[in-house]
Amino acid sequence: MRALGYRTVDALVDWLTDDALPPLLSATPEQMQARLGGAAPADGEPFEQVLDGLFRDVLPYTSRGAHPGFFAYVPFSGTWPGALGDFVASAANVYAGSWQEAAGPTQLELEVLGWFKEWVGYPADAGGTLVSGGSAANLTALACAREALIGSMRDDLVVYASDQAHSSVARAARMLGFRPDQMRVLPVGEDLRLEPATLAAAMAADEAAGRLPFLAVANGGATSTGAVDPVAELAAVCRARNVWLHCDAAYGGFAVLTERGRSALGELALADSIALDPHKWLYQPYECGCVLVRDPHALRRAFEITSDYLRDSEVDERIVNFADQGFQLTRTSRAFKLWLSLRTFGVDAFRAAIDRSLDLAELAARAIDASERLELAAPPALSVVCFRRSDLGDEATDGLAAALKDSGLGLVSSTRVHGRPALRLCILGHATRAEHVEAVLRFLETAEPRAGVAAYERHQSVPSVVPLFARLGPDEGAAVAALGTERVVAAGETVVVRWDTSRDFFVVRGGTADVLVGSELVATLRAGESFGEIAALEWGAGFARSRAATVVARDDVRLLVLGPDELAQLVEQFPRLEDELRLAANERLRRAR
């Protein structure tokens, strides 16, 4: 056992410290099957031979989040003491579900959770549990909130989130049984933050329609852009209606350890629950997420189920069984790695690493501002910087990211900011320094995009402010007309209502219609123009954005109507149509704010 352990550690250290390896090496399914395919062996093989195969045929074909030029997604840059903590938990095969079987690991997890509660400003008696990641944390929080406020699922409940919310929020809502009409995906302002007035207006509209606002999700650092919602103001809106406020701070939450991060994140402690990801900005190996709940008893009330075969684990009310605090009965201890790495390095070392990430994001933003070819696509937030090449069209975005990947110098990902593609730089790695950021930006400033990556080519000669169908080719326009259904709306009749969740898409064939936000007229639509694309496009997990405005016929209007199924069929046939619809939706949202 000792010999195999030493051999494994030596191989790992060699792999982790090999600076020649790129941040990402990909392979085709055929290539990987050629390396790894085959039946399970009937007889055993020497461990050293199997280990060599692992490091030769598997590990090279993974992303290396600890690479100093890894700026894609949310970089994952673990610590060695944390990895050793996982090794101890795995080798000892720790079960951390009940106090009876794991008094030591349970108390260790309580201690770590106590540190987290202190950092975010929660009371010491607040509830919490370690989970696999942000997705599990969001799911746990939504389930806990429903049980705490409502109980069994109801058809009138409504969940609210901005269109910058993480996809796991939509997945959690779907898994818990929320239908598409029970989630409002709300537009954000120019700063990509959810405005309290927007949330309040959506809730008021639902209350007037007999629905029950139940839960709102605030971003504590949006994954796409780093945007931080105004938690204190959103909390005030929620408290006035007895609505649960959950803050998804999986990416940005641990920035509270620094002065700038705490200032940016605001009053996280005003949220009823918070999702955190120690495997992001606290530099822990996968998997390690966390959910904190202000009500100390809410998690247990939501998840505890006592069975005959578990009665031995019931001791007294003072103890904690973490299996009763979430949906995992069998769970290992994720606290070992946290406790080992935080005790080994000290909190100040993590604070310094986070501060360095913030410094480098500010450096990147300044360099982009000073560049003749690069331009910011959104205000930098926390350690996320979104930008574009001003001398290239939007269609080159993915090609630039691919060219950087091919170079082996670094890795960035792409996103959309106000409907337009953008490159996204997320800086978290504790090994990253200024020279790594500058080298990646220099490359992207002059590189030729990789050919054949562009998703579509827009008609650059047609201004984007003209009606959507002036930008489509004749085949696309004919397909739209063939699938649509004609509808006539009388003067004064309402076509769609703001915050409604209907998904139809409309093209005006004759007459005029007014677009209203509240009582304000923001646009008048005429023949050839379209509306409804904001709600027509799926946002995630079957959910779509809510209607951003009310549309009323000014005079008799002839409409071509496409339902979501017909639109999905068109998008599958003409992929470019989705990009045009998203651009049109963005233009509409800007006018509707």
Side-chain angles (χ1 to χ4, degrees), residues 525-546:
L525 304 173
R526 295 175 172 78
E529 295 188 281
S530 57
F531 63 96
E533 61 278 330
I534 294 169
L537 295 168
E538 182 174 307
W539 175 72
F543 299 101
R545 291 172 174 81
S546 302

Side-chain angles (χ1 to χ4, degrees), residues 93-331:
N93 206 19
V94 170
Y95 169 68
S98 72
W99 181 274
Q100 182 190 44
E101 294 184 71
T106 299
Q107 187 60 43
L108 197 68
E109 186 163 342
L110 290 170
E111 294 298 319
V112 170
L113 290 169
W115 298 341
F116 292 175
K117 287 182 280 188
E118 178 185 355
W119 296 346
V120 303
Y122 260 11
D125 66 346
T129 185
L130 296 178
V131 293
S132 60
S135 295
N138 285 332
L139 176 61
T140 303
L142 264 65
C144 177
R146 192 181 68 186
E147 291 301 311
L149 295 184
I150 306 298
S152 300
M153 187 65 184
R154 287 170 41 175
D155 290 341
D156 60 345
L157 301 182
V158 185
V159 174
Y160 304 83
S162 85
D163 59 18
Q164 296 297 302
H166 193 269
S167 60
S168 62
V169 173
R171 184 182 294 115
R174 181 173 66 183
M175 292 174 66
L176 291 170
F178 288 89
R179 302 186 312 269
D181 64 336
Q182 289 184 274
M183 185 168 180
R184 304 284 175 268
V185 183
L186 305 176
V188 293
E190 287 292 327
D191 58 2
L192 301 167
R193 291 156 39 107
L194 177 59
E195 297 173 357
T198 299
L199 178 62
M203 288 182 176
D206 280 319
E207 288 173 332
R211 294 182 284 264
L212 181 63
F214 149 66
L215 178 141
V217 179
N219 285 317
T223 301
S224 178
T225 61
V228 177
D229 290 331
V231 175
E233 292 87 342
L234 295 176
V237 172
C238 291
R239 278 198 304 271
R241 291 176 166 83
N242 194 33
V243 171
W244 185 288
L245 179 65
H246 172 62
C247 183
D248 180 4
Y251 152 58
F254 286 109
V256 296
L257 287 173
T258 71
E259 184 178 341
R260 280 175 294 176
R262 182 173 292 275
S263 175
L265 288 165
E267 300 293 335
L268 290 184
L270 294 177
D272 295 291
S273 56
I274 304 171
L276 299 165
D277 254 4
H279 64 215
K280 291 187 173 72
W281 226 342
L282 208 59
Y283 305 113
Q284 298 305 305
Y286 289 141
E287 301 166 346
C288 195
C290 175
V291 59
L292 300 177
V293 181
R294 173 178 286 279
D295 181 346
H297 308 295
L299 284 170
R300 182 169 179 174
R301 287 198 300 263
F303 293 101
E304 182 181 35
I305 297 177
T306 302
S307 302
D308 290 343
Y309 53 83
L310 296 176
R311 291 190 181 278
D312 289 344
S313 66
E314 296 179 31
V315 182
D316 60 50
E317 289 298 320
R318 295 172 301 163
I319 62 95
V320 172
N321 294 320
F322 277 112
D324 295 334
Q325 307 272 359
F327 52 81
Q328 276 188 280
L329 176 59
T330 302
R331 65 194 300 275

Side-chain angles (χ1 to χ4, degrees), residues 1-12 47 51 80 87:
M1 290 167 66
R2 294 181 197 279
L4 297 183
Y6 293 145
R7 173 72 182 88
T8 303
V9 167
D10 286 343
L12 273 171
F47 179 82
L51 187 70
W80 186 243
F87 173 66

Side-chain angles (χ1 to χ4, degrees), residues 494-514:
T494 299
V495 184
V496 297
V497 179
R498 193 184 191 199
W499 308 131
D500 185 27
T501 56
S502 60
R503 298 277 303 275
D504 288 340
F505 173 69
F506 304 88
V507 181
V508 180
R509 283 191 155 179
T512 55
D514 290 334

Side-chain angles (χ1 to χ4, degrees), residues 379-453:
L382 295 177
S383 68
V384 177
V385 184
C386 297
F387 61 102
R388 300 186 180 97
R389 270 274 294 271
S390 57
D391 62 320
L392 297 174
D394 289 350
E395 67 275 7
T397 301
D398 289 339
L400 277 174
L404 177 63
K405 173 186 172 295
D406 293 343
S407 75
L409 182 67
L411 200 68
V412 298
S413 51
S414 61
T415 188
R416 288 180 181 273
V417 179
H418 295 307
R420 289 184 58 197
L423 293 167
R424 175 183 167 279
L425 197 75
C426 184
I427 304 170
L428 262 80
H430 50 70
T432 299
R433 299 294 184 267
E435 58 265 28
H436 304 117
V437 176
E438 291 166 345
V440 164
L441 290 177
R442 280 196 305 270
F443 179 91
L444 293 170
E445 193 173 25
T446 59
E448 287 295 322
R450 187 210 284 174
V453 179

